[in-house]
Amino acid sequence: MQLVFFYELTYKPKKESSKTEKAIGILDIAEKVSIYRDYNLVAQDSILIQAAEKMHKSGFFYDIGKTMKWPAFTFKIKKEYPEMKTILIDGISQKYFGYIDTSPQNWKIENEMDKVTGLSVQKAILDFGGKKWIAWFTNEISFQDGPYKFHGLPGLIVKIEDVDKNYSWVLTGVKKISDFSELSFTEKISGFNDVNIISKDKFEKAYNAFREDPFAEARSRITPQMRTQKMPGSDITVGDLLKQQKKG
């Protein structure tokens, strides 16, 4: 029997902005591992499985994009127990990469107590990732884990936010499940098993380059002859289209 903890994430899409957005993250805790990811990465599994079965039986493909709720974030955080080896994994240019985060989490536990979502909690402070964080953890739930990369307190993190309130997680619910899977249906069919572990520096360089120009790798595979061909039903060539995408 595994447990799933639901966290509401409130975050600012842009720094120094007063606007905030919300997303739901889930922390799956099994015997030897925990997985933190966007809830929508797994919530769509039933829709995708039904659609795949329907298309297989009918032989007809149809677009289910309009019925999907796309995740606010695509990465997932894997923590391997009991060492708490922390791995961030994400897709970069149709491949999956990850890095092991060895950043220390040197918590300072305060004496201050409070109540959050009905749980008795204690305050803790952390400097991590260039930000100062304030967390509230509970001894009522013994897992030394929490949302995102956070872990290492003597109880589950119920709430954590940076002092500037750019990111804030609050535990909103818990559910027991009997069919835990580290991979969602989408991940299974898209080759998520093949994750290339690289250094954090290489990961960030590759990820930033991909965000800046998502079509860079695709362009590298297109031959000069292919670039001169016109797009179906258009006077625009493949080369012109790629140039427009790069400018955009």
Side-chain angles (χ1 to χ4, degrees):
M1 184 71 70
Q2 287 81 33
L3 294 173
V4 182
F5 295 92
F6 294 80
Y7 287 88
E8 183 180 74
L9 167 63
T10 303
Y11 64 100
K12 294 180 181 178
K14 296 180 180 180
K15 292 181 179 180
E16 309 303 328
S17 172
S18 59
K19 179 184 177 182
T20 61
E21 295 185 8
K22 292 183 182 293
I24 299 296
I26 56 173
L27 177 67
D28 292 273
I29 296 184
E31 183 179 358
K32 296 183 179 180
V33 67
S34 75
I35 304 291
Y36 175 77
R37 51 195 161 185
D38 190 305
Y39 175 63
N40 283 328
L41 285 175
V42 295
Q44 306 301 320
D45 271 12
S46 59
I47 296 175
L48 289 169
I49 292 171
Q50 290 174 10
E53 292 175 347
K54 185 176 180 180
M55 285 186 281
H56 177 72
K57 290 178 181 178
S58 66
F60 178 73
F61 175 83
Y62 62 95
D63 184 11
I64 60 171
K66 294 180 180 179
T67 65
M68 303 291 289
K69 291 183 179 179
W70 301 107
F73 53 92
T74 58
F75 66 83
K76 72 175 183 178
I77 306 293
K78 178 179 179 180
K79 305 187 191 95
E80 297 178 354
Y81 294 172
E83 298 86 359
M84 281 299 187
K85 179 180 177 183
T86 303
I87 307 169
L88 183 144
I89 303 169
D90 205 345
I92 302 175
S93 190
Q94 298 183 338
K95 296 179 182 178
Y96 293 100
F97 293 88
Y99 69 85
I100 299 170
D101 195 324
T102 57
S103 306
Q105 295 189 24
N106 299 317
W107 292 96
K108 180 183 177 184
I109 298 177
E110 307 273 289
N111 294 324
E112 187 176 346
M113 309 292 290
D114 204 345
K115 284 271 190 181
V116 177
T117 63
L119 294 168
S120 297
V121 294
Q122 188 170 353
K123 186 178 181 180
I125 296 173
L126 173 69
D127 289 317
F128 181 78
K131 294 181 174 63
K132 184 175 181 179
W133 300 87
I134 297 175
W136 297 90
F137 68 95
T138 181
N139 292 314
E140 297 177 24
I141 303 175
S142 60
F143 298 112
Q144 298 183 15
D145 210 332
Y148 190 54
K149 299 178 181 179
F150 301 110
H151 67 272
L153 285 167
L156 185 75
I157 296 173
V158 176
K159 180 179 179 180
I160 183 167
E161 61 185 7
D162 66 288
V163 294
D164 295 321
K165 299 186 183 300
N166 291 308
Y167 297 92
S168 176
W169 285 267
V170 179
L171 180 68
T172 58
V174 59
K175 179 181 179 181
K176 290 182 179 180
I177 60 171
S178 57
D179 56 348
F180 167 77
S181 175
E182 186 176 321
L183 300 178
S184 68
F185 177 74
T186 307
E187 291 171 333
K188 289 176 182 177
I189 64 176
S190 59
F192 212 97
N193 278 315
D194 302 321
V195 178
N196 302 293
I197 302 298
I198 56 179
S199 70
K200 182 178 180 180
D201 183 60
K202 288 183 178 179
F203 178 93
E204 290 179 343
K205 286 181 179 178
Y207 184 78
N208 291 334
F210 173 67
R211 288 289 299 272
E212 185 176 335
D213 186 4
F215 299 98
E217 185 174 334
R219 281 197 300 274
S220 68
R221 295 196 297 265
I222 296 176
T223 65
Q225 183 180 0
M226 293 168 62
R227 288 175 180 271
T228 62
Q229 295 177 356
K230 292 184 178 181
M231 297 295 295
S234 172
D235 291 330
I236 299 176
T237 65
V238 172
D240 291 336
L241 179 63
L242 291 172
K243 287 178 182 178
Q244 292 175 10
Q245 291 173 336
K246 188 173 182 180
K247 289 178 181 178

